[in-house]
Amino acid sequence: MSTRRIRDLKRSLPAICRAVTRTKGIELVFQGPPRTDGKTIYSDPLPIDADEEQVAIIVGDIDHECGHVLYTDFDAAVQALDHISHEGKRALVHD
């Protein structure tokens, strides 16, 4: 993928996230690992020299996180996590 296309994609992804999630204030931060708190989507960095496979993985991760913004009840998730031990939380995040 050309450097220009990657640069254009990187510039357009925040607007795409806002459109997909229907969330005006959603932010996209290229500072992985991929995750979201419902207000900010974090992604691994998109290298300017990324190949098609790297781009597909990163865009797929962003799509996945947009799905969480749309369909995850973050209040319920926080409450559920309050009842899980520290070791259990690590296992959820790292597995």
Side-chain angles (χ1 to χ4, degrees):
M1 185 172 264
S2 74
T3 302
R4 180 180 176 170
R5 286 185 68 199
I6 291 174
R7 195 171 38 246
D8 291 346
L9 175 64
K10 192 171 184 176
R11 259 196 313 264
S12 66
L13 280 169
I16 293 168
C17 288
R18 289 189 294 274
V20 168
T21 62
R22 301 180 301 272
T23 305
K24 190 174 188 178
I26 196 82
E27 288 187 66
L28 175 61
V29 177
F30 288 97
Q31 184 179 342
R35 63 195 184 284
T36 187
D37 60 8
K39 298 175 186 144
T40 303
I41 294 173
Y42 297 89
S43 168
D44 286 324
L46 180 59
I48 199 70
D49 61 346
D51 61 26
E52 295 282 339
E53 183 177 358
Q54 288 174 298
V55 170
I57 290 168
I58 290 171
V59 170
D61 287 340
I62 292 169
D63 289 346
H64 175 91
E65 298 307 327
C66 285
H68 280 299
V69 172
L70 285 168
Y71 301 111
T72 299
D73 181 342
F74 288 95
D75 291 333
V78 168
Q79 287 178 358
L81 287 174
D82 284 344
H83 300 292
I84 298 174
S85 70
H86 179 70
E87 292 78 20
K89 289 176 188 173
R90 282 184 55 91
L92 284 172
V93 170
H94 294 289
D95 286 347

